[in-house]
Amino acid sequence: NVDLHHNKEPPMHRNLAQSLLPLVNQQDFNELFQSYIDSKINDIIREFEQGESEVQMWKAQGKLHMLRKIRDMQIEVKTAADRKYP
């Protein structure tokens, strides 16, 4: 569900991605980490829905963006590590 082409941030450098591969390839850790991030995303969605001001909702949107970026790190790392150019 990650559209890396729609991402406005610069792509991850290949060397960094390759150094992170051992982390994202550890299945037990990754599954638990994904569950943890998903629970945090659900908490922030509730925070967004209950926000009483635009500022609270903007902050919640920023938190959601970062949590989703962390959640999708495995895909980003593997894609960047497979690139043929830096």
Side-chain angles (χ1 to χ4, degrees), residues 24-42:
V24 300
N25 283 334
Q26 289 188 12
Q27 196 60 32
D28 290 344
F29 170 78
N30 194 46
E31 288 174 10
L32 293 171
F33 188 68
Q34 295 296 322
S35 295
Y36 172 77
I37 294 296
D38 287 341
S39 74
K40 290 298 179 185
I41 287 172
N42 289 332

Side-chain angles (χ1 to χ4, degrees), residues 11-14 18 76 78-86:
M12 181 181 291
H13 193 276
R14 186 170 184 248
Q18 288 178 328
E76 182 181 6
K78 287 181 177 184
T79 301
D82 287 342
R83 278 197 325 254
K84 301 298 181 218
Y85 55 91

Side-chain angles (χ1 to χ4, degrees), residues 3-5 11-13 16 19-20 22 27 29 31 38-40 47 50-51 56-57 60 62 64 71 78 82 84:
D3 183 3
L4 296 175
H5 300 290
M12 181 181 291
H13 193 276
L16 174 60
S19 68
L20 291 172
Q27 196 60 32
F29 170 78
E31 288 174 10
D38 287 341
S39 74
K40 290 298 179 185
E47 182 181 315
Q50 296 170 2
Q56 288 174 319
M57 288 187 268
L64 281 172
R71 178 195 63 196
K78 287 181 177 184
D82 287 342
K84 301 298 181 218

Side-chain angles (χ1 to χ4, degrees), residues 58-72:
W58 289 335
K59 286 181 179 180
Q61 282 180 322
K63 291 176 188 178
L64 281 172
H65 173 75
M66 290 311 300
L67 285 169
R68 288 177 175 147
K69 183 104 174 114
I70 292 168
R71 178 195 63 196
D72 300 333

